[in-house]
Amino acid sequence: MRTVVFLAGAAGVVVLAVVAALHIPGFGSTFHPYRTAAVEASVKHVAANVVSSVNFDQRGLDTLGEESILLASILGAAILLRPAKDETEKRPLSAGRVLESTRMLGYLMMPITLVIGLDVIAHGHVTPGGGFQGGVVVGTGIHLLYVAGSYPALEKARPLRAVEWGEAIGAGAFASLGVAALVASGAFLSNVIGTGSFGQLLSAGTVPLLNGAVGIEVASGTAVLLGAFLKQAIMVKGPDDSR
Amino acid sequence: MSFYPYLVAVWLLVVGAFGIVRSRNLIHAILCLSVSQSGTYVLLLAVGYQWHAKPPVFGEPATHPTAKVVDPVVQAMTLTDIVVSATVTALLLALATQIHKRHGTLDPDELRQLKG
Amino acid sequence: MAPLAVAVPIMVAALIIMVDRRLPRLAIDLLATAGALADVVFTALILHQSASGRVITWSAGWKPVHGLSVGIVLVDDPIGAGIALLAAALVVLALVFSWHYIESEEGHYHCLMLLFLAGMEGFALTGDIFDMFVFFELMGAAAYALTGMKIEDPTSVQGGMNFGIINSLGAYIALMGVGLLYAKTGQLGLPQLGRALAHQPRSELLVAAFVMLMAGFLVKGAMAPFHFWLADAHAVAPSPVCVLFSGVMVPLGVYGAFRVYWAAFPTAIARPDVSRAFLALGVVTAVVGAVMCLEQRNFKRLLAYSTIAHVGLFIVALGLLTSEGVAGAAIYIVSHAGVKAALFLMAGVLLARYGTVDEAELHGRCGDAGLLRWLMPVGGLALACLPPFGTALGKEISEDAGSAAGYLWVPALFVAVSACTGGAVLRVAGRMLFGLGPPPEEGAGQTSGDEEREGEPLRRIPATMAVPILTLLGGALAVGILPGVHAAAENAARIFVDSGGYRNQALFGTAARLPAVHEGGWSLSGVLLGLLSAGLALGVAAVGIWSRPITHHFPRLLDWGRRPLSVLRELHSGHVGDYVAWLMLGLAALGGLLSLPAR
C-alpha cells in the first residue's frame, strides 16, 4: 500500500522535474553572475582560493551556522550515546590483537596524515582545502592509533576533556572573531585584518584565522564523535552483558 | 541533452526516498537518506559548471585570476551541504544504535509503539 | 545587532561545554538562561527598530552595488523580529521550567537548547535563501537530539528517528528548490531573487522551485500530508522541548514558506493558484488534526494533533494572501504559542507527579494537582478561542479576512476546529482532574501515555514550574486585552506583504512608508463566534466524557463514523516508510495544485 502511494507521488514529482528541466539554463552555460562578483570580491580581499573566500569572507554567516550544526550534531550524538541508567562503563579485559604489519603501517602513516591535515587547514585560503576538510583528516588520522594500536592507546592520546574543550574553543573562536569584527568595524564577520599579498600564507585577512578555528573544531568534534561511538561499542555494558 | 545531469539529480532524490519507503532496516534507511542528498550535490554542482572553465583556485599552481572559472558559490554551498549531511547522519546513526538496544530490532515494520 | 542574536547563544553554548564539569547544575542553568535572555533583549531591540522601517544588515559589510552583493542580507521587519522574540522568550521560559524538571548532570541539554535557539533566530532574521536552509538544518539537528534525549524510553528514540528522517528529507528537497532558483536567477538573497523574478514570465522551472521550497519548509510546518512526524516527536520529547516545537518551531516553518513567497514569488506564480493550493491543504491539515486530536489518549500526542489542526488554520489564514489574513495569523500564532506552551508544561507537571500522561490511567487521580485544577480548564477554553484571549482575537481577524476574500466557509472551519481541539483538552481535564464520567475504554491502535519521568517524582509544584505556566497563559490573555494589538499586527502584516518595499529597501535603501492603520480590535461578531466555539468545546468535551451513554441511544452514529476514522488512524502508523510515501505524494499534489490552471 505504501509503495503504491509512493509511486503515485514519485510519478508526479518526476513529471514536474522533467518539465522544469526543459526550462533550466543548459548545462555548462555562461550565465553565472554571482560567480563573477565572487571572484572579483575574492581578489579584492587577496584570497587565492575563491571557494574559501566565499565560505569565510563573503558568506561567513552560513559557515557559522554550518559549524554550529556540527557542534549540535556531535553534542546530540554524545548525549544519545551516553550510558543509560541501567548500563555501566567497563574496560574490556583484552586490548585485542593487531597484526605487526598493520601496526607498522599505522605508526608510519599517522604522523604523515596529521601533517597533511594541518597543511590543508593552514593553506585553506590559498589551495583547495580548508578547515572542514583538513579537520576531518586530522580527526580521523588520530584514530589510526586505534586501528593500528589499541583502544587504551587512543584514549591516552586524546583525552576526552581535551577534545571537548577543542570543540568548544573552535566554535567559540569563530563566533568571537565575528563579534570582534563587529566591534572593530561595525559589521559582523567582516575582514578587518590587513590582507597581505596574493598566494602567500599570510593573506586574505581573517580567512586563515577562521579556517584555523573551524579546523580545531572539526578535528576535535570528529574525535568526540568517533570516541562516543567507540565507547558505546567497546565499553558500555548492559545489565545482561557478560563480556 | 544538456539537462541530463539535472535528471540524474532528481533520480537520486526519488530513488533514495524509495529506498526509505521499502526499507527493512533503519541503518539502510539512513543511508538511503544520504543517497537522496547526493542528488542535491549533483544538482548544485551541475548548475555551477561552465564549459572550458578553470577551477576557482588561483594559489596552487599560481595562476592569474580570471572570471572564467566554474561557480565557486555552488561549491561552497555543496561543502556546507556535505558537512550538514555527515553530521546529521551521525546523529541518526546514534539514534539507530539506541533503537536497536531498546527495541531489539531495526526493522521499521516491527516498531509498533507509536501509532494512532 | 541581528547576527548577535545568532552568535551569542553559540558562544554561551561553547562556554557551557568548557565549564560544565566544574560548575554546579544551578550555575549552568543560570548561564544558559542568561544567554537566552540576551537574545530576548536583542530581538526586542530589533523589533523596536523595525517599527520605523525594516532593519537591514549586510553581513560582513558587503553593501550592495547596483542592487547586487556577494554577502548575506538580514532583513528584519516587525513580523520576522516578532517571531524571533517569541522564540527567545519561549526558550527562556522553557529553560526556567527545566531547572527542576530535567535531571541531567552535564550541560549538554542546555547547549542543545541554546543551539536550537540560535537556529531559530537565524531562520527568522535572515533574508537569504541558502542561509535559511542552513539555520533550518541547525534547528533540525538540535531538535532531533532533544527529542531522542530520553534514551531509556524506547518510544523516544523511535520518535526522534522518524522526526530526523522526515525533516532531513524535507530540508534536502528545499535545497533542491534553492538550486533550481539559483540556476534560473544566479542569486541567493531574497531581495535579489525578488528583483530578478519580478519581470519573469511564468515558467515551469519556477513552479518546480517554488513547490520544492514550500514543501521543504512546510515539512517543518507540519502541513498535511507532511505532518505525520509531529505527533511522534511530541509524544516523546521532554515537555519543555515540546513547548518550543509547538510554540515556535512549527510556526517558523509556515513563516519561512510565506516569507519566501512574498519576497520572491508574488508575481512569478499566479496568485489564485497559490491561494487555492494553500487553502485546500490548510483545510485538510486542520480537519485531520482536529479529528485525530479527539482520538488520543496520550495527552501530549493530543496536544500535538491540536498543533497540527491550528497550523492548518494558520495556513488557511495566510493562504488568503491578504494583509488581513497575515495579521490574523500573526496574532493567532503568538497567542496559540502561549496557550499551547502552557498546556505542554502542565503535561510535564502531570508526568512528573504521576508518571504518566495517559487519560485512561489518570482518570480521577489528579484531584490533588493544585494549581492545575484551575489552569488546565482555562487552557482548554483559551485553546477553544474564548474571548478575551488572544486566540479569539486572532481567530476573529482571520475569519473576517476569509469572509472579506469571499470564502464564507472560513468562520465555520475556524469555529469547528477550535471547538474540537479545545474540547479535547477540556475532556482530558474533566476526566483527569475532576473524575467526570465513566473510565474510558482501552482503544485499540492508540499510543498509550506511558512515558519515562524526566526527573524525580514531584511533590509540590515548584515556583520555577508554576511561574512559566502562568506567564504563558497571562501572555496569551494580554495579547487579547492590550489595546492597539490589532492595529500593530495589521501594520506589520502590510509591511510583510509589501514585496516591492522589501527589495527596494534592502537593495537601494529606499522604500515608501506605508500609511499606518489605527482602528481595529474586537467586534461583536468576533466575540459571539468566540463564545460559540468555546461553548461548542464544552459540548465536545461532554460528549467525549459521557459518550458511552450517548452512543447507547444512537448506535448507528457509531458505525457511520468508525470506518473512515480507523482508516485515518492507521495511516498514522509510526512507520517511517509510510511517512516518506505520503511526503512524496504531497509534493506531487502541491505541484499539481499549482500547475493546473485556475477555473
Side-chain angles (χ1 to χ4, degrees), chain A residues 42-86:
Chain A
S42 172
V43 170
K44 198 167 80 163
H45 278 203
V46 196
N49 182 350
V50 185
V51 179
S52 280
S53 172
V54 170
N55 248 334
F56 293 103
D57 198 354
Q58 299 169 34
R59 298 183 66 94
L61 195 57
D62 276 348
T63 311
L64 176 65
E66 174 192 351
E67 64 143 32
S68 314
I69 296 176
L70 194 123
L71 184 64
S73 301
I74 292 179
L75 265 178
I79 205 179
L80 288 169
L81 291 171
R82 69 181 190 270
K85 290 194 185 122
D86 55 348

Side-chain angles (χ1 to χ4, degrees), chain B residues 92-107:
Chain B
L92 291 175
L93 286 171
L95 276 169
T97 310
Q98 292 293 6
I99 288 183
H100 182 74
K101 266 210 209 154
R102 296 291 147 188
H103 291 267
T105 174
L106 280 171
D107 188 343

Side-chain angles (χ1 to χ4, degrees), chain A residues 102-127:
Chain A
T102 312
R103 194 192 299 272
M104 193 182 77
L105 204 58
Y107 287 160
L108 185 64
M109 290 308 296
M110 197 175 99
I112 298 179
T113 312
L114 291 178
V115 166
I116 290 181
L118 289 171
D119 179 76
V120 168
I121 297 178
H123 285 94
H125 54 293
V126 175
T127 56

Side-chain angles (χ1 to χ4, degrees), chain B residues 26-101:
Chain B
L26 280 174
I27 299 201
H28 168 262
I30 294 170
L31 293 175
C32 289
L33 188 63
S34 283
V35 168
S36 271
Q37 202 207 12
S38 320
T40 60
Y41 306 154
V42 170
L43 177 67
L44 286 173
L45 293 172
V47 165
Y49 187 69
Q50 179 175 334
W51 291 115
H52 313 302
K54 305 233 177 319
V57 180
F58 307 120
E60 188 64 48
T63 45
H64 191 72
T66 161
K68 194 169 174 200
V69 293
V70 294
D71 195 334
V73 178
V74 287
Q75 294 192 5
M77 285 162 67
T78 309
L79 178 58
T80 304
D81 197 8
I82 293 177
V83 171
V84 165
S85 140
T87 50
V88 171
T89 304
L91 189 54
L92 291 175
L93 286 171
L95 276 169
T97 310
Q98 292 293 6
I99 288 183
H100 182 74
K101 266 210 209 154

Side-chain angles (χ1 to χ4, degrees), chain C residues 116-153:
Chain C
F116 191 32
L117 175 61
M120 291 195 283
E121 300 296 8
F123 190 78
L125 296 174
T126 189
D128 180 290
I129 214 168
F130 185 69
D131 213 27
M132 284 176 95
F133 164 76
V134 170
F135 286 113
F136 185 88
E137 283 281 46
L138 177 56
M139 281 199 281
Y144 312 151
L146 284 168
T147 304
M149 212 175 86
K150 297 186 288 184
I151 54 176
E152 290 85 7
D153 185 350

